[in-house]
Amino acid sequence: MSHSRSDVVLNRMHQRFAAPFLIVATGLAQIPDSARPLPGPEPTLGVHGGEPWAFGRGCKTRFTATGPEFHVAAGPAAATTPTVRLAWAAIGRGDDLLPIGNGDRHVENARVEYRRPGGVECYDVVPGGIEQSFRLDSLPRGSGDLVVRQTVTTAMQVEPFGDGLRFSTPGLVHCTLGGVTAIDADGRRQAGVIRHRDGVIDYIVPADFVATARLPLLIDPLLGSATIVANASNAERKADLAFDATSGAWLMVYEFVFSATDIDIYGRRLDGAGVAMGSPLVLEGSGANDIDPQVANVNSRDRFVVVWNRQTASDSDVQARSVDAATGTQGPVLIVATGTDSQGRADIGGEATLVDQDAICVWDNQTQDTIEAAQLVVEANGALVVQDLTTIAAGSVGSPRISKSGGTTGRFLINWMVEFSLGDYDPYGMIVDRELNQLTGNVVFDGAVNFTGEVTNDGDGQNWAVAWKVKEAGITHDVAARSMHLGAGGPVLGSGIVPIETAAGVDERPTGVSWTGGSVVVASESVFNGAGSTNVRSIDPISCGDCEGSHRVLFQLTDDFHLAVASRRAAGADSDEALLVAEGRNTSTNLRARQWRSDDGSTRIEAPACGARGGVISTNCARAGNAGFAVRCQAASANSAAILVMSRQTALFGCGTCRLVPDPYAAFLHVTTTDAAGDAAFAVAIPPNISTSGIGFYLQWVVAQPVTPGCYALGSDLSAALRTIIQ
């Protein structure tokens, strides 16, 4: 299969619909009032009683002939099921609105479309709920703001909530309709307004943007409304956070400063939207200086593990405790590292799977000049136990950081800084498994003679993205990034050093990295003349080039600092959503949270890998307009023949215990050879047209293995089968 042929195929698919305009609003995703979200299945779409239904966690949606009807699970205390019914009624400019007209309902994959004369109303079933969008084939005549109007029928209370609306049944449950965004073909973004009155919802896009928008328009990630999550006094700072997939709750940990000599560690449970639940948790309040809290999740225990540093006049220790994700109940404090040495700058990586109950803690021993690591075993009662104390690196080392989890493989990347001389610091790293076996030697990410620092990373257990600051001319810094993966023969640096934040004269530093699936979010802080701002940049996890670009996160106008980021995926959830928390230092310090969703395509494993060396399959940034999209195979048999089978249909061809999922008789085949690391890739540009959104493929690599193949009929091992849908 050649690149030119694939471009023709994708272009033919997207030419089915011309899409000159798109308006996007986040859907009605359940956010329960209770501390523990109501249980429910993973999102699915199927036909029941002759109509399409979507089923998700805590909600289900019936797609009637005229529009969606959302049913929110409220539990046995509710006499009837709370519902919200929407129907597209009209469109126009200003006050001149005309009826939209009837249309046809179409169901394909995880999308339902209502194709009407004036445009297409789309609903995508995603892990967070239902994502709603309107695709306009032509703009209505006239001038003024563009208005898309829906009728809403519900017995729930409707009120403004952040940038959108909140539907609630007090004391039982609520759900939200998020903000509206319009984006043109040049990538220009414009926030709109949602207005509710008298049984109608208006989605409004400003007239000046509509007048100059170039067609077609593409989907942009939506940021949820900023919510204050800690604002007791001028005291809260340095937040970190993690997600728990079972309870659907986040835990934010932070410093609470009483004085220069009395700093406590606090925590706050947040619901799925980042809204504070209950009272703050005092994790350590002894009156000493306890600083730099970090948190990760252990999925099998449904608990968070928090680590921090205890400072005294002569030394410093590392301490930890666990927190029940559903209730906030705390386990006892564990002294991880103590003695007369100065030990600190601790970090923690969690367990995303159900196969282990450990978190991995790393810290530096400044007295011995080493990087140390240990397993923190989470007992059933919440107590922590130190196990397998290991020295990772020694000699002029410090400031370690570990990926938020080990992904599905249980493999972590630990980074640290090495000082060679004054002004020459290099970021290093090593991959370890969940048992702290060292899988690689030391890897140098930037060996130039320059001033680098504040290295941080995240990954999925196979691939990692690393970010650090590097000095530019003068006294300010830029942010650079580089990717790495574990090949068949060891670590492979997947990209060169890529500058990702390079504003001249602005002091920029990375404050967090979060793996969201098909892309990586790098959070950073920029300071100019004492004023701080926070930014997120969505990058390709392999090339570190732009996936969705850079976005300033506006919590406040000039006083945002220390942006923390964590994804749901790090906790084992199949989601591309993350949460951002930043310090606002205006008249007083407070912590504000905001949601992030990466529009980087959706992926799902349809069948497991078969054989020992079929490799790890992945795709990156599957969104309309991505010229760098690729289907990759990593860590397969080295220097072996490999075939990518790519089809929109399934065949489920059985071969012993193996399954070839894509239909080979209706497939595009890309024939290649793996390299010395066991890697191969098929690169194909996705056309920059929004109508490619929703197109899905089944993908699987077949790698020659003549000695002991998993599939004898093909003489090959098979990668896992992947289902990828373009956004």
Side-chain angles (χ1 to χ4, degrees):
M1 178 179 178
S2 67
H3 289 218
S4 59
R5 182 182 176 191
S6 62
D7 288 340
V8 169
V9 171
L10 286 173
N11 272 293
R12 283 176 179 170
M13 283 191 257
H14 87 251
Q15 285 169 1
R16 291 163 55 200
F17 305 109
F21 203 85
L22 182 76
I23 300 174
V24 185
T26 55
L28 286 151
Q30 186 199 10
I31 307 171
D33 286 306
S34 57
R36 189 180 186 93
L38 297 166
E42 292 296 324
T44 58
L45 179 64
V47 176
H48 297 266
E51 288 191 311
W53 282 80
F55 298 87
R57 294 185 176 180
C59 63
K60 59 184 179 180
T61 305
R62 178 168 70 107
F63 294 96
T64 72
T66 58
E69 184 178 81
F70 302 89
H71 298 241
V72 185
T80 59
T81 302
T83 61
V84 178
R85 185 165 186 167
L86 301 176
W88 192 2
I91 187 172
R93 305 290 292 272
D95 295 327
D96 186 13
L97 272 62
L98 296 174
I100 190 63
N102 296 324
D104 297 324
R105 179 183 57 192
H106 293 260
V107 180
E108 183 177 0
N109 300 322
R111 165 175 285 199
V112 178
E113 294 183 348
Y114 295 89
R115 300 174 186 173
R116 308 181 190 277
V120 181
E121 180 183 4
C122 306
Y123 295 90
D124 291 295
V125 181
V126 297
I130 304 295
E131 182 178 291
Q132 178 189 44
S133 62
F134 300 91
R135 190 175 66 224
L136 307 185
D137 300 320
S138 61
L139 294 177
R141 296 180 179 179
S143 59
D145 295 340
L146 175 66
V147 180
V148 174
R149 173 168 292 176
Q150 284 187 304
T151 59
V152 56
T153 305
T154 183
M156 302 179 78
Q157 295 182 7
V158 186
E159 59 187 351
F161 184 77
D163 298 330
L165 300 173
R166 169 170 157 152
F167 301 80
S168 62
T169 300
L172 291 177
V173 73
H174 69 264
C175 56
T176 59
L177 181 65
V180 60
T181 298
I183 309 154
D184 75 358
D186 294 322
R188 295 191 308 122
R189 298 166 173 81
Q190 176 62 56
V193 175
I194 290 182
R195 182 177 62 200
H196 168 260
R197 65 183 184 204
D198 301 329
V200 299
I201 298 174
D202 288 341
Y203 306 88
I204 304 169
V205 180
D208 54 353
F209 179 82
V210 177
T212 59
R214 192 172 76 85
L215 310 176
L217 301 180
L218 300 177
I219 295 176
D220 186 62
L222 296 178
L223 292 170
S225 304
T227 303
I228 295 177
V229 289
N231 188 30
S233 64
N234 190 22
E236 300 97 341
R237 67 182 189 184
K238 294 185 179 179
D240 190 36
L241 64 156
F243 183 70
D244 179 73
T246 303
S247 67
W250 299 86
L251 179 65
M252 177 186 69
V253 297
Y254 54 97
E255 294 180 3
F256 195 101
V257 182
F258 283 87
S259 70
T261 59
D262 184 5
I263 303 173
D264 292 345
I265 304 300
Y266 276 39
R268 195 73 185 265
R269 293 171 57 251
L270 314 175
D271 70 11
V275 178
M277 300 189 296
S279 301
L281 307 174
V282 181
L283 302 176
E284 181 53 74
S286 64
N289 261 7
D290 294 291
I291 64 171
D292 295 336
Q294 301 291 315
V295 61
N297 179 258
V298 176
N299 191 10
S300 61
R301 293 298 194 198
D302 296 331
R303 297 187 79 92
F304 299 103
V305 178
V306 186
V307 298
W308 64 89
N309 301 332
R310 162 68 62 83
Q311 291 185 328
T312 68
S314 59
D315 56 50
S316 59
D317 299 336
V318 177
Q319 301 187 3
R321 78 188 316 162
S322 75
V323 178
D324 187 283
T327 65
T329 302
Q330 302 174 40
V333 172
L334 170 73
I335 309 300
V336 179
T338 188
T340 58
D341 289 352
S342 180
Q343 304 179 90
R345 287 182 281 197
D347 196 15
I348 189 77
E351 178 60 60
T353 75
L354 302 178
V355 303
D356 210 349
Q357 299 83 39
D358 306 338
I360 303 295
C361 181
V362 297
W363 66 94
D364 61 13
N365 185 318
Q366 298 167 48
T367 305
Q368 303 299 325
D369 208 0
T370 58
I371 303 295
E372 306 291 339
Q375 291 178 301
L376 301 187
V377 182
V378 184
E379 303 285 0
N381 62 359
L384 300 177
V385 178
V386 177
Q387 184 172 285
D388 293 338
L389 180 64
T390 304
T391 298
I392 298 296
S396 301
V397 295
S399 303
R401 281 294 175 258
I402 188 170
S403 44
K404 205 68 169 179
S405 81
T408 58
T409 67
R411 297 193 290 250
F412 300 81
L413 175 61
I414 301 173
N415 284 116
W416 63 90
M417 299 302 304
V418 178
E419 180 181 6
F420 286 91
S421 63
L422 184 63
D424 184 11
Y425 303 86
D426 294 347
Y428 272 58
M430 172 189 289
I431 299 173
V432 301
D433 65 17
R434 59 168 59 95
E435 305 301 327
L436 281 175
N437 297 306
Q438 299 180 13
L439 304 182
T440 70
N442 295 346
V443 178
V444 185
F445 286 85
D446 184 352
V449 180
N450 56 11
F451 186 95
T452 62
E454 302 190 42
V455 63
T456 183
N457 83 82
D458 198 19
D460 64 353
Q462 174 65 28
N463 295 273
W464 295 267
V466 182
W468 63 92
K469 73 175 185 181
V470 58
K471 191 175 182 180
E472 59 178 352
I475 61 173
T476 57
H477 299 83
D478 292 336
V479 177
R482 194 169 196 176
S483 69
M484 185 177 77
H485 72 271
L486 187 61
V492 179
L493 291 171
S495 71
I497 299 171
V498 180
I500 60 173
E501 300 292 352
T502 58
V506 178
D507 198 28
E508 298 165 302
R509 68 181 188 94
T511 54
V513 176
S514 186
W515 191 281
T516 57
S519 64
V520 172
V521 175
V522 179
S524 64
E525 170 189 289
S526 301
V527 180
F528 182 71
N529 289 337
S533 64
T534 51
N535 305 275
V536 290
R537 182 175 290 275
S538 171
I539 64 173
D540 185 295
I542 304 300
S543 71
C544 291
D546 272 350
C547 180
E548 299 167 272
S550 182
H551 307 267
R552 183 174 179 184
V553 184
L554 286 174
F555 291 93
Q556 299 182 141
L557 293 178
T558 60
D559 291 283
D560 293 336
F561 296 86
H562 194 83
L563 181 65
V565 59
S567 70
R568 294 174 181 243
R569 193 170 291 264
D574 183 16
S575 171
D576 55 6
E577 295 180 355
L579 194 66
L580 309 167
V581 173
E583 295 174 22
R585 303 179 190 170
N586 199 341
T587 56
S588 64
T589 300
N590 54 51
L591 299 174
R592 295 172 181 256
R594 193 163 210 169
Q595 296 180 88
W596 169 271
R597 187 192 68 243
S598 292
D599 282 330
D600 53 17
S602 63
T603 60
R604 184 177 66 227
I605 297 294
E606 297 289 335
C610 182
R613 302 304 295 274
V616 179
I617 187 172
S618 65
T619 58
N620 61 294
C621 197
R623 62 182 275 117
N626 180 20
F629 176 76
V631 184
R632 291 181 171 85
C633 181
Q634 296 175 330
S637 293
N639 304 311
S640 300
I643 301 174
L644 172 65
V645 185
M646 176 179 176
S647 178
R648 298 202 67 196
Q649 301 173 199
T650 62
L652 302 179
F653 170 72
C655 180
T657 59
C658 301
R659 281 198 303 160
L660 180 66
V661 174
D663 184 353
Y665 299 104
F668 301 99
L669 305 179
H670 173 67
V671 181
T672 185
T673 302
T674 62
D675 62 17
D679 298 345
F682 171 64
V684 55
I686 301 176
N689 193 301
I690 196 60
S691 56
T692 59
S693 175
I695 295 176
F697 295 94
Y698 296 92
L699 309 163
Q700 197 165 13
W701 286 93
V702 179
V703 182
Q705 181 65 267
V707 181
T708 56
C711 174
Y712 278 92
L714 299 177
S716 303
D717 289 342
L718 275 62
S719 75
L722 196 68
R723 170 71 163 157
T724 294
I725 301 176
I726 298 171
Q727 263 181 300

